[in-house]
Amino acid sequence: MEIRNLLKGKTVVVTGGSRGIGRSIVLTMARQGANVTFFYRNNEAAREDTLEASSCLSGIVNAKKIDIREAEACESAVDQIAEDAGNIDILINSAGITRDNILGLMTNGELNDVLATNVIGVFNVLRPVIPYMVRQKKGRIINISSVAAEKGGRGQTNYAASKGAINALTKALAVELAPKNILVNCVAPGMIETDMTESIKQQAGDMVRSRILLGRFGQPEDVAKAVLFFASSLSDYVTGQVLHVDGGFKMN
C-alpha cells in the first residue's frame, strides 16, 4: 500500500533537480504533496522535461536557473522562495559533478570544479536556508553523498574527497542544529543508472554488477525513496546518519 501526502504543503528546495537522481527526488517530493523548487545550472531541455513530468502531480514544482558555485545567487534564490512560501521546510542538496582522472594527471580545473560544486556549492545553499529553519524551529536537511566517500575507486580522488566532506558535514551540522529541531541526514547512493554512470556501465558494467550483492544497478527512484524517509515524519527520531543505498556494493 502506497503512503500518500507525507509532505502535503511542505516547501522543498532541491539542488540539481533537473536530471538523474535529483529529478527523481523532485518528482517524489511533489507526488507526496510538497511544493518544490529545484535549482538547475543550464540544461533547459531537462528542466522542461522535469516540469512537464510534474504537471500531473499533487504538489507544485518550479525551477530556478542557479549556479550553486555562486553564493550571492544562492542567497537571492533562497530569500525569494522563502518570501513567496513563507518558510522553507526541507532542503535536499543533490547537485554534484564528476571529473575523473588519476591524481598525477588531474588538472586544476578538474579538481576545482568538483570541490566548488560538490562541497562549496552545498555550503552556499545551506547558509541562507538555515536561518529560516532556525526561526521556525524545525526543518529537514538531506545531503546526497556517494558510496565513493568510503569505497574509493581509481581516478576519483577529487570526487571521493568531496563526498567524504559531505558525510562529515552532515554529522557536524546535525550536532549544531539538533537544539533547533532541525534534522540533518545523508543518503549515499551506489551505482545508480543515470547519465553520470552511463560510461561506467558501458565500459565495466558486468564487473561492477558482480560487486553488487543485489546483482543490479540501482534506479534513481531507489534513492528518492530514501530521501523521502528522511524528509518525512517517518524519521522524526533520526539525525546525523549516512544511509547507503547501494545494493550492497563492494561488500563482497
Side-chain angles (χ1 to χ4, degrees), residues 153-196:
R154 184 178 185 273
Q156 287 198 314
T157 53
N158 52 355
Y159 184 71
S162 73
K163 293 306 185 178
I166 296 306
N167 287 0
L169 162 66
T170 297
K171 295 177 181 181
L173 193 59
V175 174
E176 188 172 308
L177 296 180
K180 304 298 183 181
N181 195 34
I182 301 169
L183 308 184
V184 187
N185 290 289
C186 183
V187 176
M191 297 303 300
I192 308 298
E193 288 198 47
T194 66
D195 292 346
M196 188 179 290

Side-chain angles (χ1 to χ4, degrees), residues 8-209:
K8 186 175 182 180
K10 297 293 186 181
T11 300
V12 180
V13 176
V14 181
T15 70
S18 65
R19 304 188 327 177
I21 290 172
R23 178 183 186 274
S24 186
I25 291 170
V26 168
L27 298 180
T28 297
M29 300 299 110
R31 193 173 291 114
Q32 291 293 331
N35 298 323
V36 185
T37 299
F38 69 87
F39 294 174
Y40 72 104
R41 184 179 294 181
N42 53 28
N43 192 324
E44 298 294 341
R47 165 190 174 274
E48 287 300 319
D49 177 70
T50 301
L51 290 174
E52 182 177 351
S54 71
S55 62
C56 61
L57 303 178
S58 57
I60 298 171
V61 177
N62 294 296
K64 285 186 177 291
K65 187 174 183 177
I66 302 292
D67 187 340
I68 62 170
R69 296 174 300 180
E70 299 176 0
E72 291 184 1
C74 293
E75 183 176 356
S76 177
V78 167
D79 287 346
Q80 187 63 60
I81 294 167
E83 180 179 340
D84 292 343
N87 61 306
I88 294 177
D89 299 299
I90 301 162
L91 168 64
I92 302 160
N93 287 303
S94 178
I97 63 170
T98 58
R99 297 288 186 269
D100 291 355
N101 204 348
I102 60 173
L103 186 58
L105 299 178
M106 187 175 294
T107 66
N108 289 336
E110 290 167 339
L111 174 60
N112 293 336
D113 284 351
V114 168
L115 296 182
T117 300
N118 296 5
V119 183
I120 301 304
V122 173
F123 278 91
N124 286 343
V125 181
L126 281 170
R127 288 190 294 178
V129 165
I130 286 172
Y132 290 104
M133 292 184 173
V134 168
R135 281 197 286 273
Q136 64 197 31
K137 297 182 179 178
K138 62 179 180 178
R140 304 292 177 102
I141 296 169
I142 302 105
N143 300 317
I144 305 300
S145 176
S146 170
V147 67
E150 298 179 13
K151 307 283 187 179
R154 184 178 185 273
Q156 287 198 314
T157 53
N158 52 355
Y159 184 71
S162 73
K163 293 306 185 178
I166 296 306
N167 287 0
L169 162 66
T170 297
K171 295 177 181 181
L173 193 59
V175 174
E176 188 172 308
L177 296 180
K180 304 298 183 181
N181 195 34
I182 301 169
L183 308 184
V184 187
N185 290 289
C186 183
V187 176
M191 297 303 300
I192 308 298
E193 288 198 47
T194 66
D195 292 346
M196 188 179 290
T197 60
E198 184 60 29
S199 62
I200 297 174
K201 184 180 177 182
Q202 290 182 357
Q203 295 172 16
D206 290 341
M207 186 272 288
V208 172
R209 195 175 292 107

Side-chain angles (χ1 to χ4, degrees), residues 3 6-7 25 28-29 32 92 140 142 187 223-235:
I3 301 176
L6 285 173
L7 304 177
I25 291 170
T28 297
M29 300 299 110
Q32 291 293 331
I92 302 160
R140 304 292 177 102
I142 302 105
V187 176
V223 181
K225 290 173 185 176
V227 172
L228 176 61
F229 168 71
F230 283 134
S232 73
S233 60
L234 296 173
S235 62

